[in-house]
Amino acid sequence: MIEDTVYRTSSQYRFWSFTEDSLRTLRAKTNASASERVRTAIQTKRQSGLSSTGDTPVSTPGSNVATDDGKLKAKEDEIQCLTPEEEQVLVRYYCEQTLELGDVYKPALPTIVRATAIQYLHRFYLTNSPMTYHPKTIMSCALFLATKTENYYMSLRQFAKNIPGGTPEDVIAPEFLLMQSLRFTFDVRHPFRGLEGGVMELNAIAQGMGQPAPHLPHQTPEDLRKDLLSILPQQGQAQRPTSITDRIARAHGKAREILKTAAQVTDVYFLYTPAQIWLSAFFLADKPLAEFYLNTKLGPDQKNQADQSQQQQQNSLSALRGKVLKTITHCSNTLQSYKPLSSDIEQMKNLKRIAKKLYHCQNPEKIGAGVSQKRDASAAGSGVSGAAADSGKAVSESGQTEPVSKKRRLESAMGDGDNKGISGQDLANRVKEE
């Protein structure tokens, strides 16, 4: 089986590969569904606040309740929900925060762990909205899940120590929800391994040990080495490398940095294969070197072939080369268009506006849901409900409550009855009788 055939059997290709149109449609559908639920939940919250009497309604995100002559009135303005584009900006910001969060740990979390966590975030928010589940709560859970799926062991308690204001319970709370949204497919095919393989091939060619492609029998290892050494320097390069190995190493470092940042935050994982992604990053790092590597696989453009069979083979390779170059060009443009949010003042202003908007359109049914569930579960496990604990009452097996003080008096009385036979006077009488 060739590599493409193997990749087509992966869950990433079967479940998480899209065209640009299908990806846009899916996100719009998710946003529309979430917006409808948010509006319904907020309207219900407003109506419940208006129907209550004697109590001042508590202000919640999304509730616009005003008082007029002692009467509560709901504002009639439309509830402004996030657009799909605004949701993407928000998710993108927390993807960048995931990269930074990995540096907090000592030692820093491996690149592969952070990259997997970011892809979990992307996949989660294909079918979920930030208006329903805030990315801040999902981010830490995705990162912890990635430490397990990538075999980088770290205890939950140790992991939670580096989460600002987070507890182990907060980190693990949305894990099952996250796994459900991922369809329990935890495998992520990254482009890092492909990049390492390509660099190894180029280094082998530089040492005269390169292997020509099977359909290019006229090439020899020495010919490949000479062609590699004759590559023109990249345009606009400030400092020329001292050797070809130095040039390969520099291109390797630049391409890997692109894969660690731009490739993670953008949608290229959904739109392209890992091989296409790393080749696109390599094209941005050193285009002449990347074109040479492509020539070793598909052959250079050659015209006026005397042999008709060779001409037909060359035509098929040229057609394939054209398709590959077109795909790589599109992917390279996407990677090159990436700009970190923190590096642009206008983008940060827009992000703050979106964050304020999210506060007012977040689903009130989901706010604090995880905390209340954990609290109730803890109370149920200990046999004491929150209300009973506050009122000083214990819960019996039948569910009825009784004052704790009364229970203690009964236990004390039972204890006195049991110990009556071994009092000091009775013990003395027993000794006399014996």
Side-chain angles (χ1 to χ4, degrees):
M1 297 176 67
I2 62 175
E3 184 179 355
D4 288 344
T5 306
V6 175
Y7 177 72
R8 288 190 179 94
T9 63
S10 67
S11 59
Q12 181 165 320
Y13 177 81
R14 291 183 289 117
F15 298 128
W16 307 108
S17 294
F18 306 91
T19 62
E20 292 186 5
D21 292 337
S22 62
L23 188 63
R24 191 182 305 109
T25 301
L26 178 59
R27 284 173 172 162
K29 182 179 179 181
T30 300
N31 175 264
S33 178
S35 298
E36 182 179 355
R37 292 182 181 180
V38 165
R39 292 190 178 97
T40 302
I42 292 178
Q43 291 292 351
T44 303
K45 191 74 173 179
R46 290 178 178 178
Q47 292 175 2
S48 63
L50 290 173
S51 61
S52 62
T53 57
D55 295 329
T56 303
V58 180
S59 177
T60 58
S63 62
N64 295 321
V65 181
T67 58
D68 184 14
D69 298 332
K71 296 182 179 181
L72 300 176
K73 293 183 179 180
K75 291 184 178 180
E76 298 180 355
D77 55 327
E78 182 70 17
I79 301 171
Q80 297 295 327
C81 295
L82 297 182
T83 64
E85 292 75 18
E86 290 172 337
E87 288 185 337
Q88 278 304 104
V89 173
L90 203 61
V91 173
R92 175 182 166 185
Y93 169 75
Y94 280 97
C95 288
E96 294 180 355
Q97 290 299 302
T98 303
L99 291 173
E100 296 181 5
L101 182 60
D103 291 328
V104 176
Y105 294 86
K106 302 299 178 185
L109 296 181
T111 299
I112 196 73
V113 172
R114 285 182 263 185
T116 298
I118 290 174
Q119 296 313 310
Y120 287 168
L121 271 179
H122 280 303
R123 294 177 180 183
F124 179 83
Y125 284 107
L126 281 183
T127 53
N128 296 279
S129 170
M131 294 183 291
T132 307
Y133 302 105
H134 200 287
K136 186 177 181 180
T137 60
I138 304 298
M139 176 187 69
S140 57
C141 181
L143 189 59
F144 180 66
L145 179 61
T147 62
K148 295 188 284 187
T149 57
E150 294 296 341
N151 296 319
Y152 187 79
Y153 174 75
M154 178 180 293
S155 67
L156 177 59
R157 188 180 302 276
Q158 180 185 2
F159 178 86
K161 287 181 180 179
N162 293 279
I163 303 298
T167 63
E169 291 77 12
D170 294 333
V171 172
I172 206 69
E175 186 178 60
F176 186 72
L177 171 68
L178 175 61
M179 292 191 295
Q180 277 185 318
S181 300
L182 296 177
R183 303 183 185 183
F184 297 95
T185 57
F186 306 121
D187 180 36
V188 179
R189 303 294 180 96
H190 294 287
F192 300 107
R193 181 176 295 180
L195 174 63
E196 300 302 323
V199 170
M200 290 175 62
E201 287 187 77
L202 289 173
N203 283 324
I205 293 175
Q207 297 173 8
M209 297 184 295
Q211 296 296 324
H215 51 276
L216 300 173
H218 61 279
Q219 291 182 340
T220 63
E222 184 61 24
D223 292 337
L224 290 175
R225 190 182 73 86
K226 291 181 179 180
D227 292 341
L228 178 61
L229 295 176
S230 63
I231 296 177
L232 297 176
Q234 189 176 11
Q235 294 182 357
Q237 193 170 14
Q239 183 179 1
R240 299 187 62 176
T242 57
S243 63
I244 189 62
T245 55
D246 182 40
R247 180 174 181 174
I248 295 173
R250 291 188 182 186
H252 177 210
K254 292 180 181 179
R256 185 171 178 81
E257 190 63 28
I258 294 173
L259 295 181
K260 289 166 57 178
T261 54
Q264 300 305 319
V265 181
T266 57
D267 290 332
V268 293
Y269 272 69
F270 291 138
L271 303 175
Y272 305 98
T273 66
Q276 293 167 348
I277 296 172
W278 84 258
L279 277 173
S280 301
F282 206 66
F283 259 74
L284 293 177
D286 194 327
K287 186 175 180 179
L289 194 59
E291 288 179 341
F292 167 80
Y293 179 81
L294 202 59
N295 291 341
T296 63
K297 305 299 180 182
L298 301 177
D301 290 333
Q302 295 181 0
K303 299 179 180 180
N304 301 325
Q305 290 282 353
D307 191 347
Q308 185 176 2
S309 61
Q310 291 183 1
Q311 182 67 39
Q312 292 177 352
Q313 182 184 20
Q314 186 62 34
N315 290 338
S316 61
L317 290 176
S318 297
L320 179 59
R321 180 190 177 90
K323 292 181 180 179
V324 172
L325 283 176
K326 182 179 179 180
T327 302
I328 291 176
T329 301
H330 289 166
C331 184
S332 299
N333 293 337
T334 303
L335 295 175
Q336 196 171 21
S337 64
Y338 167 72
K339 190 175 183 181
L341 291 173
S342 58
S343 64
D344 190 348
I345 298 178
E346 293 300 323
Q347 289 189 98
M348 291 303 297
K349 289 182 179 179
N350 184 43
L351 179 64
K352 292 180 180 179
R353 179 190 63 81
I354 295 173
K356 291 180 180 179
K357 188 176 180 181
L358 175 63
Y359 177 79
H360 293 287
C361 67
Q362 196 170 357
N363 193 334
E365 295 178 350
K366 300 297 181 180
I367 298 177
V371 177
S372 62
Q373 289 173 0
K374 287 182 291 181
R375 181 186 60 200
D376 295 342
S378 176
S382 61
V384 180
S385 66
D390 294 338
S391 60
K393 297 182 179 181
V395 180
S396 64
E397 293 182 0
S398 62
Q400 298 177 348
T401 61
E402 57 181 352
V404 176
S405 58
K406 179 180 178 181
K407 184 178 180 181
R408 289 176 179 173
R409 287 197 302 270
L410 290 174
E411 291 175 350
S412 177
M414 293 175 62
D416 292 342
D418 293 337
N419 296 332
K420 186 176 180 180
I422 56 173
S423 63
Q425 184 63 37
D426 290 341
L427 183 58
N429 294 335
R430 288 183 183 180
V431 172
K432 289 181 180 180
E433 292 176 356
E434 294 176 355

